[in-house]
Amino acid sequence: MAGNFSNAVVNSLHVLLIMVPVLAHFLLICFALLSSNSNFPQTFLFSHVFFVLIGGWCCIDRASVYPVIMFIVVILMTMLLDIIQLGLFFGPAEGNQEQRNTRRFSQGMTIMSLIFKPLTCVLASLALYIRHTGRVPMGGGGDGEQHDDTGYNAHGQDGQQAE
């Protein structure tokens, strides 16, 4: 069957779907906080540290779905906070040429992180689906057969075809 994989592959895929975006966000946030004159408040740092910690918890705790749900909620909250903080603190770069370039780079990395967060949310939702069902969704069906995932069949109680 095209959508069924072994348990080891499903567990590894679930962890990779969370770990890779978390590491990418960690790198982008490190670059965003690179500038000493970025004027971002400490809430920016704390919200993203919390974001990375919850992502790490998702990778470690595979038995529960609550870390993934909390991770998705934290992604949505940090997206809102990023939009507000960029609106309030995004301004013209001041200082010499090197300071202006560093500030523009850190602001660009903040915007890249904000753009990448919806994709992270989709990947976390996919990881939650894979963990819950144990199947990897494949487009097209692969083998051409229709599979009934509802658990119901067209037979009556006595095994006869329902009319």
Side-chain angles (χ1 to χ4, degrees), residues 106-121:
S106 67
Q107 289 172 344
M109 292 298 110
T110 304
I111 293 170
M112 286 297 297
S113 175
L114 182 59
I115 290 171
F116 188 53
K117 280 184 183 176
L119 178 64
T120 303
C121 195

Side-chain angles (χ1 to χ4, degrees), residues 4-52:
N4 291 335
F5 290 100
S6 69
N7 260 352
V9 172
V10 169
N11 284 338
S12 299
L13 185 61
H14 161 60
V15 170
L16 282 176
L17 284 173
I18 302 251
M19 187 183 311
V20 171
V22 166
L23 291 175
H25 280 291
F26 176 74
L27 185 65
L28 288 171
I29 294 308
C30 285
F31 283 141
L33 295 171
L34 183 68
S35 175
S36 62
N37 62 351
S38 65
N39 294 332
F40 281 125
Q42 287 185 346
T43 57
F44 183 80
L45 172 66
F46 294 142
S47 66
H48 286 89
V49 166
F50 187 67
F51 169 75
V52 170

Side-chain angles (χ1 to χ4, degrees), residues 44-133:
F44 183 80
L45 172 66
F46 294 142
S47 66
H48 286 89
V49 166
F50 187 67
F51 169 75
V52 170
L53 288 175
I54 296 293
W57 181 31
C58 288
C59 295
I60 293 170
D61 186 11
R62 298 180 191 173
S64 177
V65 296
Y66 295 116
V68 181
I69 293 170
M70 191 171 186
F71 183 65
I72 293 170
V73 169
V74 168
I75 290 171
L76 297 174
M77 289 175 57
T78 56
M79 283 174 57
L80 179 65
L81 285 173
D82 285 355
I83 291 169
I84 291 170
Q85 290 171 352
L86 278 172
L88 292 175
F89 299 104
F90 191 87
E94 300 159 354
N96 62 19
Q97 185 68 28
E98 183 178 332
Q99 289 174 339
R100 285 195 305 262
N101 289 341
T102 305
R103 180 163 176 174
R104 275 190 236 130
F105 178 74
S106 67
Q107 289 172 344
M109 292 298 110
T110 304
I111 293 170
M112 286 297 297
S113 175
L114 182 59
I115 290 171
F116 188 53
K117 280 184 183 176
L119 178 64
T120 303
C121 195
V122 169
L123 291 176
S125 300
L126 180 64
L128 187 63
Y129 175 80
I130 290 171
R131 177 187 283 181
H132 183 67
T133 63

